[in-house]
Every structure is written in structure tokens, then in C-alpha cells.
Amino acid sequence: MPCFTRGAAPLLSLTLTLAIAGTAGAATPNASDAGIGTGSTALDTPLGDIAFDNGKTLALTLGYASSATHRDGDPADLVYALTDRGPNIHCDDSGKVVGVADFCKGPQGVDNDGKIFPMPGFTPQITAIRLGADADGHLTARVERRIDLKDSQGQPISGIGNPLTVTDTENGYDAHGTQLPLDPEGLDPEGLVRLADGSFWLSEEYGPSLVHAAADGTILQRVVPDNEVDDLKAANYPLAGELPTILSRRKLNRGAESLALSPDGRTLYFAMQSPLANPDKAAYKTSRNVRLFAVDLDDQGRFAGVAHEYLYRLDTPDTFHDADSGRGDANAKQSSVKVSEMSILPDGRLIVLERVSKTTKLYRIDASAATDLLGGEYDALDTRPTLAQVDDPASVGIVPVAKQLVFDSLTDAPALASKIEGVAVLDATHLLLANDNDFGIEGADSVFTVLPLVPRLSQ
């Protein structure tokens, strides 16, 4: 059973203190030798102005970082970032953002649960980003390569929702309010890792699913819950129904958000963003129980089966706000707390990013004493109470993964951007954090931040 973390670590301002016992793979230059600055830099790329029929115009920018990753063995100054499905606006927010209430009107009338896709032709993409420093030593970032995701025929995929019948989905509408057809190929990617052969694995919200893509972005396989294959069989890429059926109970837009890869390239780790909506949405809203998985890969980097399943316990929402300073996320609900990213240290220890919006925490986790839930009663659709309904895991004999806080933006980086969704360990002394700017719909920048990691002085 994997052990992801150990030891204790003090916190320093703008510093994440981590012990790194060793590295795997080829030696790489560190960030300082590679000429990487510290601090933050914005990387804003215009996508275009989208005009609505009422005259409202949105100036959209690329949302680079629903995830960020750096593979040990790559140059320290090279990271890969991942967009999500593209610019989207909740129909219920149409009055505020578009200036038209009840904007989304489908065949059944007003649809306030759908999404507006002002740029429905957007293709999710992976971006290679080269980090650097200006003359004053401040961080810089530039795009080196863009990789569009595409199907087996080389056609770009969309970010439009899937025609799922076994779980909930959502309708999409363009900038004119016209309903868009659901797309069996559509993806909402959120997590990213890069393998030694240059291919990528992504985690994804709609299924939820895991997606293997070639170095050029061609989808090699999408792995979904086993009860969803029939709904998605029209997709022009290979499908496999190898994820547990229970994951089809994911809350809408709270699928597989995070992804990490072991240093030897043989194990993927992914976590759901939130507790499952099982048996209903009421359970998801108050639950703290998130599922975390380990997946085996073969020696070609291909999916070889789900190996382990663990319980990760979310923090309570009050811990993401400092009443004395007023910093953080005031009045957050339990459902506002989510897992948004994972990353892995060169020695194999896993970091989990837990956040609301303004506040970001990083935890090292240890699964060595945790209960393996895979294939057990809580993976069965008819189990009651469900895992989401269990208030005290100990009362039913479940041991969650152990968590150790190693970074809290409330105290360690108060100026950090909101909605951090990208974490990349650059080397033994530097960490990159990046935000999801929601494609600039509300004017946010895409911000990349490099913080120093200080090695622990003692074990």
C-alpha cells in the first residue's frame, strides 16, 4: 500500500518547507540554475470579443491553468498547463454577466441549470510554458507550444457536455441563446500529467473519466465508469468502462479534478473534486468524504486497472477564513470546499490542494494506514448509508488518509491569486502555483507564481 508522506514541517512566509529524500529519473538543473525568477507573472492571451444580441461584449482570454505539471527529468523551466472545457457561464448568472435574465431557453422553457458557451468551438488544449526571469530576477512565462486535443480522426474535440443518461448532464447555449447539441466526445479536462514518452494523462469532470492522449494531443483512450460506455459509444476515440460504477454519482461539475503520476510512471493518482451526490445532492452538500484512487499503468503507460481507493476528509469551511484579518473565504459552505489539484514529489510523496476560492491549502498525505475501499460495500450503488452520508468514518471502521498541512495561503502567501488549480514541483527547491482565471469572463488574469521550497534541516 503506498505511503505518500511522512514527517512534520514548519511554515515560513511565502515558503513551503518540504523534505525531499531523493529523486528519481535523470538529474535536472534546478530552477535557479535554469534562470527562473520568483514571484508572480501574468500570462494573458486574448481569445477574442464575443458579442451578445443585446450589445453586451465579453473580452475573453485563455484560461491556461486548470492544471499544471512538471515531469522530473524535464528541464526545470518547462511546465505544461491544461485548459478546461472553455469559456462558460452558468445560465443562472446570465443576468449578471450577459445582462439578460432567463437567457437559456430550451424546448422545455427556461433552463437555469445549463451553461452558456460563448465560444462553443473552443478546443481544450495543453500548453508548454517556458519559465524565466527578467533583469530584476522576477518571474516570466512564455508559451512555447500549444497542443489541441483531438479524436482518432484528427478532428478537434469540444468542451460541450456529454449525452449521459445514467447521470446528470447539462445543456449548452451559444451567445445567441441557441441550444447546442450534446457531444459524446466533449471533455472538461481538469488534471494533467506527462509521461516519459511524451504522452499525457488527463482527469476529466463530465464522466468522470481518465483520458490518455498522445504527445500531439490525439486521444488514445478515455476510461469512464462502466455504466457510461453505451451513452458515449458515438465518440471517435477508444472507450473503456473500467472506472467504478459508483463514480457516475458524481455531482454535476464536480468530477475528477486532480491527477498525479508516481516518479516511476507506473501509478496514477486521482481524486474526485467533491463528495459524490449519493444518494442525492443533499448528501454531497454537507459531506466531507472525498474518494482518492490509485491506478496502475503498464510499461507503455496504458491503463491497467484501478488498484486502490481511499477516503480523503475535507477541512471544514471556517478554516479557510481568518476573522481577525478578514482574509480568505467568509461565509463559505461545506460544499464550497474542494480538492482541485494534486502533485507529487520526486520521492513519491503526494501533495493535495484543498481550497475554496481565495484560500489555498496544500497537504502531504499518507495512505499507509488508510482503509482500502476498492470493491467494498461503499462502492455498491445500493449501500445505505452511502459514504457521503457517513459523518464519522471511524464509526464504520474506515481510516482516512493522514493529512499534514504544509502550506496555507492565509498565512503563508496572502497575496496569492484566487482559484489556484495548478501545482507543479519544479525541483527540490521550487514550486509553481497557477490559477484558473475562468477565461477572463470577470476580468481575472492568468497568474503563475513560483515560491521557494526550503529543505528541512532535520528529519
Side-chain angles (χ1 to χ4, degrees), residues 59-363:
L60 301 176
T61 58
L62 189 64
Y64 280 99
S66 277
S67 183
T69 190
H70 174 264
R71 191 185 72 83
D72 189 37
D74 282 348
D77 60 351
L78 180 64
V79 297
Y80 287 84
L82 175 69
T83 73
D84 60 24
R85 57 184 164 178
N88 64 91
I89 303 160
H90 199 289
C91 287
D92 199 35
D93 293 330
S94 65
K96 177 180 69 174
V97 179
V98 180
V100 179
D102 298 336
F103 182 92
C104 305
K105 296 180 181 179
Q108 306 303 318
V110 176
D111 177 11
N112 282 329
D113 291 328
K115 287 289 177 70
I116 304 166
F117 290 85
M119 194 173 276
F122 179 84
T123 298
Q125 64 181 246
I126 299 165
T127 307
I129 295 174
R130 189 70 67 170
L131 305 175
D134 63 17
D136 297 319
H138 299 143
L139 178 69
T140 61
R142 62 178 175 83
V143 175
E144 190 162 279
R145 184 162 62 106
R146 301 186 190 279
I147 305 167
D148 286 344
L149 296 179
K150 43 190 171 288
D151 67 17
S152 298
Q153 281 69 51
Q155 297 301 308
I157 66 160
S158 81
I160 306 301
N162 300 151
L164 297 171
T165 62
V166 298
T167 188
D168 51 357
T169 188
E170 60 190 354
N171 293 319
Y173 300 85
D174 67 15
H176 304 289
T178 302
Q179 187 170 332
L180 302 165
L182 294 172
D183 185 354
E185 290 191 347
L187 296 177
D188 185 8
E190 294 286 351
L192 177 71
V193 296
R194 183 170 177 266
L195 279 64
D197 67 359
S199 68
F200 301 92
W201 275 98
L202 298 78
S203 61
E204 190 271 337
E205 298 256 44
Y206 284 144
S209 59
L210 299 176
V211 179
H212 192 195
D216 68 353
T218 300
I219 295 173
L220 303 173
Q221 186 182 47
R222 182 182 182 186
V223 187
V224 299
D226 56 7
N227 58 342
E228 294 184 2
V229 173
D230 283 348
D231 286 342
L232 301 173
K233 61 186 177 182
N236 289 314
Y237 47 65
L239 284 169
E242 299 289 343
L243 295 186
T245 306
I246 196 72
L247 294 187
S248 64
R249 296 290 177 89
R250 57 98 181 98
K251 167 69 171 64
L252 186 64
N253 294 320
R254 296 292 182 94
E257 176 87 359
S258 52
L259 195 65
L261 178 69
S262 64
D264 65 2
R266 297 302 295 267
T267 305
L268 281 176
Y269 303 102
F270 78 94
M272 300 301 289
Q273 185 179 25
S274 296
L276 300 184
N278 189 31
D280 50 33
K281 293 178 182 178
Y284 138 80
K285 287 181 179 179
T286 59
S287 180
R288 297 172 58 195
N289 298 336
V290 167
R291 296 172 189 248
L292 185 151
F293 295 86
V295 171
D296 289 336
L297 302 180
D298 66 17
D299 56 6
Q300 301 298 312
R302 297 172 299 202
F303 182 90
V306 179
H308 303 285
E309 177 184 2
Y310 304 108
L311 170 61
Y312 180 96
R313 287 277 283 175
L314 296 169
D315 286 359
T316 55
D318 57 291
T319 62
F320 293 83
H321 176 245
D322 180 22
D324 291 336
S325 67
R327 292 198 296 265
D329 298 276
N331 304 315
K333 302 175 182 178
Q334 185 61 57
S335 60
S336 304
V337 183
K338 63 206 75 168
V339 171
S340 276
E341 177 73 304
M342 291 195 291
S343 190
I344 205 152
L345 299 171
D347 64 1
R349 291 178 296 168
L350 193 65
I351 296 173
V352 174
L353 186 156
E354 199 172 326
R355 70 170 179 87
V356 176
S357 179
K358 298 178 181 178
T359 305
T360 296
K361 300 181 186 182
L362 297 178
Y363 281 99

Side-chain angles (χ1 to χ4, degrees), residues 39-43 131 139-141 446-449:
S40 296
T41 188
L43 184 59
L131 305 175
L139 178 69
T140 61
S446 284
V447 180
F448 292 82
T449 300

Side-chain angles (χ1 to χ4, degrees), residues 11 15-16 360-362 405-409 412-413 416 433 451:
L11 291 169
T15 299
L16 176 64
T360 296
K361 300 181 186 182
L362 297 178
L405 183 68
V406 292
F407 177 85
D408 185 339
S409 65
D412 301 312
L416 191 66
L433 300 175
L451 305 177

